[in-house]
Amino acid sequence: MFKTLTLAAAAVAATASFASAESYISNFVEEQSRDTQVELGTVRAAADGVVEIYSFHGGELGALLGSEAVMAGANTNTNVDILRSNLDAIAVLKVGGEIVDTQEIEFN
């Protein structure tokens, strides 16, 4: 019975690790009260990475406005200091140098 329990626990652990390997920006919150910060809420990364905020207009990526390193796993209350742009922006999550998620930002 002990072997069966151990194997079942290992299988559950492996499944949980696989499921958490996804990377994404969740609980997205648009820019709040400050003109120099974007609040992204929770950012989940499969490995260490970076969130970059770019100006974004007409479907075109513009200048890099700011970035914030993220660690593997759930990064709660992720805030990125930015140089304010008059254009809308896009948050880009990169893990291992690859873009794994994006989220458009509309400034009010």
Side-chain angles (χ1 to χ4, degrees):
M1 173 154 177
F2 180 72
K3 284 185 182 180
T4 305
L5 204 52
T6 303
L7 290 175
V12 169
T15 303
S17 296
F18 180 76
S20 67
E22 295 180 22
S23 301
Y24 55 87
I25 301 169
S26 66
N27 300 327
F28 181 75
V29 178
E30 292 183 9
E31 182 193 21
Q32 298 277 310
S33 59
R34 293 177 48 195
D35 282 346
T36 59
Q37 190 174 74
V38 174
E39 295 183 16
L40 297 174
T42 300
V43 174
R44 180 172 296 279
D48 292 349
V50 64
V51 174
E52 297 173 338
I53 308 294
Y54 291 91
S55 60
F56 189 67
H57 182 69
E60 297 288 325
L61 228 57
L64 178 65
L65 303 176
S67 65
E68 183 71 25
V70 293
M71 298 186 317
N75 298 266
T76 58
N77 300 320
T78 304
N79 300 318
V80 182
D81 292 327
I82 63 167
L83 300 171
R84 179 57 193 255
S85 169
N86 290 333
L87 301 175
D88 290 335
I90 190 166
V92 177
L93 174 59
K94 293 182 180 178
V95 175
E98 298 291 321
I99 296 174
V100 294
D101 196 16
T102 62
Q103 179 68 54
E104 289 186 45
I105 304 164
E106 293 182 15
F107 294 114
N108 296 326

